[in-house]
Amino acid sequence: AENFTKLTGDPVDAVEVWIGEDGLVRRMRTSWDQEMGKQTVTREETVDYIAFGKRFVVKPPPKSQTFDATKAAIEG
């Protein structure tokens, strides 16, 4: 949790980790409060780890399917 706080600047409220029978991390859930403009929002993130040692390629979605939420977050 301390390293997460150092990286993001946001204090972590909770970190949960699920370990598989093989000793590898299979899921990690983190929650924290984050300042966004004039608001404080609670964020929760769950990551599942399913393909150890396999290569993959991530392609971003087309620009028409994305938007910049910075202004909305700041103005609230």
Side-chain angles (χ1 to χ4, degrees), residues 1-12 32-35:
E2 287 181 33
N3 287 340
F4 185 89
T5 300
K6 286 179 187 177
L7 288 171
T8 65
D10 297 313
V12 175
W32 67 98
D33 290 337
Q34 182 176 13
E35 299 294 326

Side-chain angles (χ1 to χ4, degrees), residues 20-37:
E21 290 180 11
D22 54 8
L24 297 173
V25 174
R26 294 297 172 173
R27 173 178 281 177
M28 185 170 71
R29 181 179 297 148
T30 310
S31 63
W32 67 98
D33 290 337
Q34 182 176 13
E35 299 294 326
M36 295 190 76

Side-chain angles (χ1 to χ4, degrees), residues 50-65:
I50 59 173
F52 294 94
K54 295 184 179 180
R55 296 184 146 260
F56 63 93
V57 176
V58 176
K59 294 181 181 179
K63 206 167 187 96
S64 64
Q65 294 179 6

Side-chain angles (χ1 to χ4, degrees), residues 32-72:
W32 67 98
D33 290 337
Q34 182 176 13
E35 299 294 326
M36 295 190 76
K38 298 176 185 175
Q39 300 179 21
T40 299
V41 296
T42 298
R43 295 188 54 178
E44 182 175 293
E45 179 178 276
T46 301
V47 178
D48 289 320
Y49 300 94
I50 59 173
F52 294 94
K54 295 184 179 180
R55 296 184 146 260
F56 63 93
V57 176
V58 176
K59 294 181 181 179
K63 206 167 187 96
S64 64
Q65 294 179 6
T66 67
F67 71 98
D68 184 346
T70 305
K71 187 175 179 181

